[in-house]
Amino acid sequence: MPTQPKAGAVLFAKDVARLAAFYAQVLAVLPKHAEAGKVVIEAEEFLLVIHAMPEAVAVKVQIATPPVLREAVPVKLFLPVRSLAQARIGAQAQGGGLKPAEAEWSAADFRACDGFDPEGNVVQFREALVR
């Protein structure tokens, strides 16, 4: 039994259900917990909590289709996926996207590609490289 909780992140959303569906689809996992205003998505190594924005903030946020990317922020999530190709398909089906395969890059043990969710949050997706 682990001695510490899993690492993770909280992502504030205007539309919790839509964003939770996006991440569950792209990460190929089922939500662990859902309640009004909060969904917990658990992967093997981390938790992602999709949490409702405070109403005073949410009324000021406009979500376009396609979303305007929020690139000028101090933090960018990177999340593991089984396959970048499958993540690209799932992301597009849920209102987000990944850059084309030509924009992918590799490091020692993973291949990565930037993408975005339906609310415009920029996120990097990584698949393990099998050596």
Side-chain angles (χ1 to χ4, degrees), residues 48-65:
L48 180 61
V49 179
I50 310 297
H51 197 292
M53 291 176 181
E55 188 59 35
V57 174
V59 297
K60 297 175 186 173
V61 174
Q62 299 298 315
I63 305 297
T65 302

Side-chain angles (χ1 to χ4, degrees), residues 36-126:
K38 186 184 333 172
V39 176
V40 178
I41 296 173
E42 183 173 25
E44 191 173 321
E45 300 294 330
F46 73 95
L47 294 172
L48 180 61
V49 179
I50 310 297
H51 197 292
M53 291 176 181
E55 188 59 35
V57 174
V59 297
K60 297 175 186 173
V61 174
Q62 299 298 315
I63 305 297
T65 302
V68 175
L69 300 188
R70 298 179 190 157
E71 296 177 295
V73 295
V75 175
K76 176 169 62 172
L77 295 176
F78 64 88
L79 301 171
V81 295
R82 292 183 186 125
S83 159
L84 289 173
Q86 289 300 315
R88 189 172 284 108
I89 293 167
Q92 189 172 24
Q94 293 290 329
L98 268 73
K99 289 183 177 179
E102 296 78 28
E104 294 175 6
W105 57 276
S106 296
D109 60 352
F110 66 86
R111 187 157 185 77
C113 191
D114 282 356
F116 60 93
D117 68 26
E119 293 197 0
N121 298 300
V122 175
V123 60
Q124 184 178 97
F125 297 101
R126 294 179 177 184

